[in-house]
Amino acid sequence: QVYDGPNTLFVNQRFLEALGYPRERFEAAGFFASIVRTEDRIEMLKRYERRSRGGPADCAFDIRLMSVDSRQVDIRFSVVPVDWNGRRS
Protein backbone atom coordinates (compact mmCIF):
# COMPACT_ATOMS: atom_id res chain seq x y z
CA GLN A 1 0.00 0.00 0.00
CA VAL A 2 1.07 3.58 -0.56
CA TYR A 3 -0.31 6.34 1.64
CA ASP A 4 -0.06 10.10 1.66
CA GLY A 5 -1.21 10.99 5.15
CA PRO A 6 -4.78 9.70 5.46
CA ASN A 7 -5.13 9.20 1.69
CA THR A 8 -4.58 5.78 0.15
CA LEU A 9 -2.76 6.09 -3.17
CA PHE A 10 -2.26 2.40 -3.99
CA VAL A 11 -3.48 -0.93 -2.60
CA ASN A 12 -1.97 -4.22 -3.75
CA GLN A 13 -4.11 -7.16 -4.84
CA ARG A 14 -3.00 -9.53 -2.06
CA PHE A 15 -4.06 -7.01 0.59
CA LEU A 16 -7.50 -6.72 -1.05
CA GLU A 17 -7.86 -10.50 -1.17
CA ALA A 18 -6.92 -10.89 2.50
CA LEU A 19 -9.54 -8.36 3.61
CA GLY A 20 -12.27 -8.86 1.00
CA TYR A 21 -12.99 -5.18 0.36
CA PRO A 22 -13.11 -3.75 -3.17
CA ARG A 23 -10.28 -1.38 -4.10
CA GLU A 24 -12.72 1.54 -4.29
CA ARG A 25 -13.44 1.39 -0.55
CA PHE A 26 -9.83 2.36 0.18
CA GLU A 27 -10.19 5.51 -1.95
CA ALA A 28 -12.60 6.96 0.61
CA ALA A 29 -10.84 9.23 3.11
CA GLY A 30 -10.54 7.56 6.48
CA PHE A 31 -11.69 4.11 5.38
CA PHE A 32 -8.38 2.39 6.14
CA ALA A 33 -8.27 3.85 9.66
CA SER A 34 -11.83 2.68 10.23
CA ILE A 35 -10.89 -0.99 9.80
CA VAL A 36 -7.81 -0.84 12.08
CA ARG A 37 -8.41 -2.11 15.63
CA THR A 38 -8.69 0.86 18.01
CA GLU A 39 -5.57 -0.01 20.03
CA ASP A 40 -3.52 -0.44 16.85
CA ARG A 41 -4.91 2.75 15.33
CA ILE A 42 -3.64 4.79 18.28
CA GLU A 43 -0.14 3.30 17.97
CA MET A 44 -0.18 3.66 14.18
CA LEU A 45 -1.00 7.37 14.48
CA LYS A 46 1.77 7.87 17.04
CA ARG A 47 4.26 6.24 14.65
CA TYR A 48 3.04 8.41 11.78
CA GLU A 49 3.40 11.59 13.85
CA ARG A 50 6.94 10.66 14.98
CA ARG A 51 7.95 9.79 11.42
CA SER A 52 6.42 13.04 10.09
CA ARG A 53 8.52 15.05 12.53
CA GLY A 54 11.67 13.17 11.54
CA GLY A 55 11.79 11.22 14.81
CA PRO A 56 12.42 7.52 15.30
CA ALA A 57 9.60 5.14 14.46
CA ASP A 58 9.48 1.41 13.83
CA CYS A 59 9.74 0.60 10.14
CA ALA A 60 7.98 -2.75 10.51
CA PHE A 61 5.05 -3.50 12.77
CA ASP A 62 1.94 -5.65 13.04
CA ILE A 63 -1.60 -4.29 13.01
CA ARG A 64 -4.99 -5.97 13.29
CA LEU A 65 -7.59 -5.16 10.66
CA MET A 66 -11.25 -6.08 10.33
CA SER A 67 -12.17 -7.91 7.12
CA VAL A 68 -15.38 -7.43 5.17
CA ASP A 69 -16.80 -10.55 6.91
CA SER A 70 -15.76 -9.30 10.38
CA ARG A 71 -12.69 -11.53 10.77
CA GLN A 72 -9.58 -10.13 12.39
CA VAL A 73 -6.70 -10.15 9.91
CA ASP A 74 -3.16 -9.66 11.23
CA ILE A 75 -1.02 -7.70 8.79
CA ARG A 76 2.72 -6.97 8.94
CA PHE A 77 3.45 -3.48 7.65
CA SER A 78 6.86 -2.30 6.51
CA VAL A 79 7.01 1.46 6.17
CA VAL A 80 9.49 3.28 3.97
CA PRO A 81 9.18 6.64 2.23
CA VAL A 82 8.75 6.39 -1.55
CA ASP A 83 8.47 8.82 -4.43
CA TRP A 84 4.99 8.52 -5.93
CA ASN A 85 4.12 10.62 -8.96
CA GLY A 86 6.85 13.10 -8.10
CA ARG A 87 5.88 13.44 -4.43
CA ARG A 88 7.25 11.87 -1.27
CA SER A 89 4.69 9.47 0.24
Side-chain angles (χ1 to χ4, degrees):
Q1 291 58 256
V2 178
Y3 302 98
D4 182 14
N7 301 316
T8 304
L9 303 177
F10 172 80
V11 180
N12 71 42
Q13 187 61 36
R14 180 67 184 110
F15 186 78
L16 294 172
E17 291 167 3
L19 295 170
Y21 295 103
R23 185 177 310 276
E24 296 76 27
R25 292 290 301 269
F26 289 91
E27 294 171 0
F31 176 72
F32 176 73
S34 75
I35 64 170
V36 176
R37 292 276 305 255
T38 302
E39 309 83 36
D40 294 348
R41 186 179 320 128
I42 293 166
E43 286 303 312
M44 188 177 67
L45 290 172
K46 287 178 184 177
R47 278 189 205 94
Y48 173 76
E49 289 171 3
R50 282 193 302 267
R51 194 174 298 107
S52 295
R53 291 190 310 264
D58 297 335
C59 293
F61 54 92
D62 298 317
I63 62 172
R64 296 165 293 178
L65 304 174
M66 187 64 64
S67 72
V68 71
D69 60 358
S70 300
R71 289 176 298 110
Q72 178 177 299
V73 179
D74 298 338
I75 301 285
R76 179 89 173 155
F77 268 74
S78 295
V79 180
V80 294
V82 296
D83 289 323
W84 188 266
N85 294 331
R87 292 189 52 198
R88 196 73 157 167
S89 296

